[in-house]
Amino acid sequence: MHKETQRFTELVKSTVENWGRQMRWLWRKKLTKAVLAIVSLFLLLDLAFPLKTNVPYSTLVTAYDGQILSAFLSRDDKWRMYAELPEITPALREAILFKEDKYFYYHPGFNPVAMLRALGRNVLTGRRTSGASTITMQTVRLLHPRERTYLSKLIELFRAVQLEVHLSKAEILQLYLNLIPYGGNIEGLKSASLLYFGKPPQLLSLAELTTLTIIPNRPSSLRLGLHNARIVTERNRWLARFRTAHLYRDDVITDAISEPLTAYRREAPQQAPHLSRRLRAENPGVPIVRSSLRPTVQITAERLVQNYANRLRAFNIHNAAVLILDNETRETVAYVGSADFGNTFDGGQVDGVWAVRSPGSALKPLLYGLAFDAGLITPKTKLADVPTNFGGYAPDNYDRQFNGAVTAEFALANSLNIPAVSLLNDLGTGVMVQAMQRAGFSTLKKQANHLGLSLILGGCGVTLEEMTRLYADMANGGEKVLSPEAAYLVTNILAQITRPDLPNNFDNSYHLPRIAWKTGTSYGRRDAWSIGYNKRYTIGVWVGNFSGVGVAELSGANTATPLLFQLFNALDYNSARGWFRPPASLTSRLVCPETGDVPGDSCLNPITDYTIEGVSRVRVCQHRKAVWTNQAGTLSYCAHCRPDHSDGPSVTPVVRRMYPNLAPNVLAFYKSQRIPIETVPPHNPACERVSGLAGPLITSLNEGSEYFINPTRPAELELGCQAANDVQAVFWYLNDKLYRRASPTEAVFFRPRPGPLKISCADDRGRHSDLRVLVKAE
């Protein structure tokens, strides 16, 4: 009987256990299905109703060290500044979590215990006494405000879970701190920190950060700057709670309680306004735009520019712009777009660094560098600074004077126009334009097809930024535009201090910074430029009027260069970085001082010149040529008519003499200026052979041109030419009829008639040249 009872008991026990296992399995299955259903539903809802966390933040422009230079309102006119994760210090995080959500790191977006507690209170009291909102739920409400209802609460729960799924806890806390209100149009802890305490969040004291943690719950009644006494009372109450909770050290809390509250509404930072606005426009929607500006350099530059511009106003010159680059990093360290951004009368908000202006002669260093690299010249190469007509374009020098034959280094240091235009004519405008485009001159894109020889004298539009970066290229060995050898040669020339663009009234030479620099003055004296560099900085200066009004006193030398010198003296006087050294492939050679070419037999006093190995041309000097003359030196002979002594003693004796071998344009200039020059005697009149050399070059009119005249009162046209130095007379022909005989340098005038006109010029050697023009009646 006992055994039967035992078996029955075991059977019942086994049956119960099996039933329990089946029930647990069924519940687990149902629970799994329920969880899967809930998860699936959440994922579907998440896909169907994604949470939008894109917030229109204020734009902050910072310096290289993170210091805020300028702040701008958000698209919805809020001061809502983006706080980065490193700016949320542990002290701030502990304070905000202690006050708002102690279990933030443990719940999935909502706190079920707090929600049940709040529900019980609401039922017992018949009113909503506690919302049990977590930081995540508050963040949802700040992102998408809704009416406070139970349905809104359910939506917030769903959105809170979404936020937890898509963002980390640190990112949620960061988003919350960027959105909490502080009254008016100020949102976010960083905005309040800067606008009320004048410092970033990471520099807040415990008293200050506690102040900012208590205001978001009562932004209207606890208004900083208006209710500071009330805020101090509330702040100290919370600091006492922190003490009780041992959140911070006692001595730290004691100091915080005794700290006075001096918060008041400050203006948003507005430093480097031109660059800040430019960077904001170039980076739409970016909350923090980092620049490379050095605040101390920026402040110094702004002060010097404003003080200098104030002194220039007496001359009706109202504006200036400065750009300073670090040569090592190529970064912008100071950017001054105008003398006074707030001066609307003088166009202070115009960005002079970005404005397109005429560069005057400031592009010449690039041209000479390209000519060095093309092997056309070396520093001692002689160039002609004489009146020259380049196919209808007849430039003049700044001082309207000419110097004859000058070295290339003298021409660049003295900014002579004729040699520069002649070099560009030899080099090719296209080569110059391509080099400028490689250097980053984007303004040339629309001008490239219309640029001519006037380009080198300012006949194009450039910006101060483009020009300064070009000079920074030269300071860095030429980089994309010049070879290191050519860059050094240009630098060596631009560092000379014996030059006309040294300011007339600058304080004495011991105040001169050691720099390489070049000036420029645009046509009509509308723009004055001075750009210089040493090993550390490249500084570009523009001075003028944004209105484009020219001023007689405006010039690169006397208006822009003094400011350039002041900037270098203030920022890098007696730079410790040394000076530029010549590259190894830049060597020296002896050249003739008359031409800059390798000395020939008649070169007696050679000098030293730089040369680029394998690039600079090697040409033997021919500054003097041998001519056969009679004993008296009154007649010259060619190989055809020279007397032959083998014919007998009665033949006229001949002598081989050396004469200057000047280019026709230089010779004509010397004669016009009555500069004594030894010339070849007239050719033997008995010679019957016509020379095969080129005839005189007609310089006053242009082949194929059209000239308009008033038929009733026609103006006179000039006839002028350049002839070889052995020519004593030329003959002018109009439509193959002799018009008159003249000396080679004499200006001849005639009154034209409408119709085709052939003009011919022959010299006393029988050489001639022709050109045809068309004269039309107006």
Side-chain angles (χ1 to χ4, degrees):
M1 185 72 178
H2 176 71
K3 291 182 179 180
E4 291 179 355
T5 302
Q6 187 177 8
R7 282 198 299 269
F8 177 77
T9 301
E10 291 175 353
L11 178 63
V12 170
K13 183 179 179 180
S14 175
T15 302
V16 171
E17 288 177 352
N18 289 335
W19 181 82
R21 281 195 295 271
Q22 290 177 357
M23 290 301 294
R24 285 196 299 270
W25 180 83
L26 288 173
W27 276 108
R28 280 199 298 269
K29 186 175 181 181
K30 289 180 180 181
L31 183 61
T32 302
K33 288 182 178 180
V35 171
L36 289 174
I38 292 172
V39 171
S40 299
L41 178 62
F42 173 80
L43 293 175
L44 288 173
L45 291 174
D46 184 50
L47 289 173
F49 305 101
L51 179 63
K52 297 179 181 178
T53 58
N54 294 329
V55 178
Y57 287 106
S58 300
T59 299
L60 301 179
V61 179
T62 68
Y64 83 106
D65 57 357
Q67 177 182 328
I68 296 176
L69 298 172
S70 288
F72 300 90
L73 288 167
S74 63
R75 292 196 309 269
D76 53 353
D77 293 328
K78 302 280 189 181
W79 288 114
R80 188 186 296 117
M81 302 179 190
Y82 182 79
E84 299 180 283
L85 288 173
E87 294 179 290
I88 304 173
T89 62
L92 171 60
R93 183 170 60 248
E94 290 168 1
I96 200 73
L97 293 183
F98 181 84
K99 182 178 179 299
E100 296 293 335
D101 191 351
K102 296 178 182 178
Y103 302 100
F104 173 70
Y105 287 107
Y106 306 102
H107 60 64
F110 60 92
N111 188 334
V113 176
M115 290 180 65
L116 290 174
R117 184 174 63 248
L119 179 61
R121 289 177 180 175
N122 292 347
V123 171
L124 291 174
T125 61
R127 58 189 178 87
R128 186 167 59 244
T129 58
S130 174
S133 293
T134 63
I135 282 180
T136 310
M137 295 171 68
Q138 291 182 57
T139 304
V140 169
R141 194 158 54 244
L142 291 169
L143 282 170
H144 306 288
R146 295 176 179 275
E147 187 179 353
R148 302 295 293 273
T149 65
Y150 287 108
L151 177 60
S152 296
K153 203 70 173 179
L154 288 174
I155 295 174
E156 285 177 12
L157 282 172
F158 168 69
R159 294 297 193 189
V161 176
Q162 273 187 304
L163 206 58
E164 293 280 348
V165 168
H166 292 285
L167 299 180
S168 67
K169 287 289 187 180
E171 290 170 333
I172 294 171
L173 180 60
Q174 178 190 24
L175 185 57
Y176 169 73
L177 291 175
N178 285 335
L179 296 175
I180 49 180
Y182 284 91
N185 67 339
I186 300 177
E187 293 184 4
L189 185 134
K190 184 172 183 176
S191 303
S193 177
L194 286 168
L195 297 177
Y196 285 116
F197 291 106
K199 61 179 72 172
Q202 64 268 31
L203 298 182
L204 291 172
S205 67
L206 178 59
E208 290 167 340
L209 67 85
T210 303
T211 299
L212 294 183
T213 60
I214 64 175
I215 290 176
N217 299 115
R218 299 162 57 188
S220 298
S221 60
L222 297 178
R223 196 73 176 267
L224 279 167
L226 296 178
H227 308 132
N228 282 7
R230 191 183 305 168
I231 293 172
V232 168
T233 301
E234 184 69 10
R235 178 199 73 183
N236 290 346
R237 187 169 68 86
W238 275 99
L239 285 170
R241 292 187 180 184
F242 294 163
R243 189 197 298 273
T244 302
H246 303 289
L247 205 60
Y248 308 102
R249 294 199 325 264
D250 278 356
D251 60 321
V252 174
I253 294 178
T254 299
D255 291 342
I257 291 174
S258 61
E259 183 177 314
L261 179 60
T262 58
Y264 63 92
R265 179 66 166 84
R266 291 167 166 82
E267 292 295 324
Q270 292 294 323
Q271 298 180 53
H274 295 92
L275 178 63
S276 297
R277 278 157 178 74
R278 175 177 171 180
L279 292 177
R280 180 196 184 199
E282 292 175 350
N283 299 274
V286 178
I288 299 178
V289 182
R290 292 172 173 83
S291 77
S292 54
L293 288 194
R294 268 55 175 174
T296 54
V297 179
Q298 177 71 23
I299 292 171
T300 299
E302 287 180 352
R303 174 177 53 82
L304 290 175
V305 170
Q306 188 168 36
N307 292 341
Y308 189 73
N310 289 338
R311 297 197 296 272
L312 290 180
R313 286 194 174 91
F315 302 100
N316 199 32
I317 302 170
H318 297 277
N319 251 302
V322 165
L323 182 68
I324 304 178
L325 304 179
D326 184 302
N327 288 334
E328 184 175 346
T329 63
R330 305 302 301 277
E331 294 177 336
T332 299
V333 296
Y335 189 114
V336 185
S338 70
D340 183 0
F341 183 81
N343 186 345
T344 56
F345 181 79
D346 291 328
Q349 295 186 7
V350 174
D351 188 349
V353 175
W354 226 14
V356 179
R357 314 291 297 192
S358 167
S361 296
L363 284 171
K364 287 176 182 174
L366 174 61
L367 170 66
Y368 279 79
L370 293 172
F372 289 139
D373 274 335
L376 296 178
I377 59 172
T378 59
K380 301 298 184 184
T381 299
K382 282 295 183 71
L383 303 175
D385 180 34
V386 299
T388 310
N389 188 304
F390 299 91
Y393 177 51
D396 205 349
N397 281 326
Y398 181 79
D399 59 2
R400 300 186 180 279
Q401 302 294 319
F402 300 95
N403 299 274
V406 297
T407 63
E409 62 182 358
F410 180 91
L412 175 56
N414 289 268
S415 196
L416 301 180
N417 290 343
I418 312 302
V421 175
S422 180
L423 265 185
L424 182 59
N425 188 50
D426 294 340
L427 183 70
T429 305
V431 175
M432 180 77 175
V433 171
Q434 290 174 8
M436 292 175 68
Q437 289 175 335
R438 290 198 307 273
F441 282 74
S442 59
T443 51
L444 289 185
K445 290 180 181 178
K446 296 181 180 179
Q447 312 171 54
N449 295 330
H450 308 286
L451 296 174
L453 295 179
S454 63
L455 160 68
I456 198 58
L457 304 184
C460 63
V462 299
T463 67
L464 178 60
E465 181 175 32
E466 292 171 338
M467 291 297 297
T468 308
R469 294 199 178 280
L470 170 64
Y471 279 66
D473 285 342
M474 291 189 284
N476 280 277
E479 289 206 344
K480 302 178 292 293
V481 289
L482 298 176
S483 69
E485 296 80 11
Y488 176 80
L489 292 177
V490 170
T491 299
N492 196 43
I493 294 171
L494 296 184
Q496 297 178 11
I497 60 173
T498 306
R499 48 199 280 185
D501 59 352
L502 196 66
N504 289 334
N505 299 318
F506 200 71
D507 294 338
N508 298 314
S509 59
Y510 61 82
H511 286 292
L512 292 177
R514 189 181 186 187
I515 60 172
W517 87 95
K518 181 70 181 74
T519 62
T521 306
S522 68
Y523 178 78
R525 295 179 180 265
R526 297 181 176 90
D527 308 278
W529 303 76
S530 192
I531 310 171
Y533 56 90
N534 61 10
K535 289 287 286 184
R536 185 176 185 183
Y537 292 126
T538 296
I539 302 179
V541 173
W542 172 89
V543 178
N545 293 313
F546 290 141
S547 62
V549 174
V551 179
E553 292 79 11
L554 190 74
S555 73
N558 292 315
T559 312
T561 301
L563 178 55
L564 178 74
F565 287 178
Q566 288 180 25
L567 288 163
F568 269 110
N569 284 339
L571 298 174
D572 199 32
Y573 186 67
N574 284 336
S575 176
R577 299 200 179 185
W579 192 244
F580 303 92
R581 295 187 177 184
S585 56
L586 190 64
T587 59
S588 298
R589 69 181 179 187
L590 293 177
V591 297
C592 176
E594 299 296 329
T595 59
D597 292 332
V598 176
D601 294 337
S602 59
C603 302
L604 303 178
N605 299 298
I607 59 175
T608 303
D609 188 17
Y610 279 117
T611 179
I612 304 176
E613 289 185 359
V615 174
S616 300
R617 68 184 179 189
V618 179
R619 185 174 59 183
V620 178
C621 176
Q622 297 180 351
H623 80 279
R624 299 183 69 83
K625 63 180 179 180
V627 178
W628 291 98
T629 70
N630 59 9
Q631 278 189 326
T634 57
L635 287 179
S636 62
Y637 302 101
C638 63
H640 178 73
C641 67
R642 187 182 71 188
D644 190 350
H645 287 276
S646 62
D647 293 339
S650 61
V651 176
T652 304
V654 293
V655 179
R656 186 176 183 269
R657 290 186 169 95
M658 302 298 292
Y659 290 91
N661 186 22
L662 299 175
N665 56 345
V666 177
L667 179 64
F669 170 73
Y670 285 162
K671 287 184 177 180
S672 68
Q673 299 297 308
R674 293 182 173 83
I675 298 175
I677 187 75
E678 188 180 11
T679 58
V680 176
H683 189 66
N684 177 18
C687 181
E688 298 177 351
R689 184 174 182 179
V690 176
S691 173
L693 299 176
L697 175 65
I698 301 174
T699 59
S700 55
L701 300 172
N702 302 307
E703 173 68 34
S705 297
E706 295 180 353
Y707 296 88
F708 293 86
I709 63 170
N710 184 343
T712 59
R713 299 181 61 185
E716 291 186 334
L717 294 181
E718 180 183 358
L719 297 174
C721 71
Q722 293 175 354
N725 63 356
D726 60 348
V727 174
Q728 304 298 317
V730 295
F731 303 87
W732 290 100
Y733 293 83
L734 302 179
N735 286 332
D736 296 324
K737 294 183 179 180
L738 178 64
Y739 178 64
R740 63 167 293 184
R741 181 182 186 275
S743 68
T745 59
E746 181 182 353
V748 177
F749 296 89
F750 73 100
R751 294 186 184 276
R753 295 179 180 178
L757 177 62
K758 177 185 177 183
I759 300 172
S760 305
C761 183
D763 62 22
D764 51 14
R765 299 286 303 277
R767 301 168 295 200
H768 75 280
S769 57
D770 307 317
L771 62 78
R772 288 172 173 78
V773 298
L774 181 61
V775 180
K776 291 185 176 181
E778 291 181 337

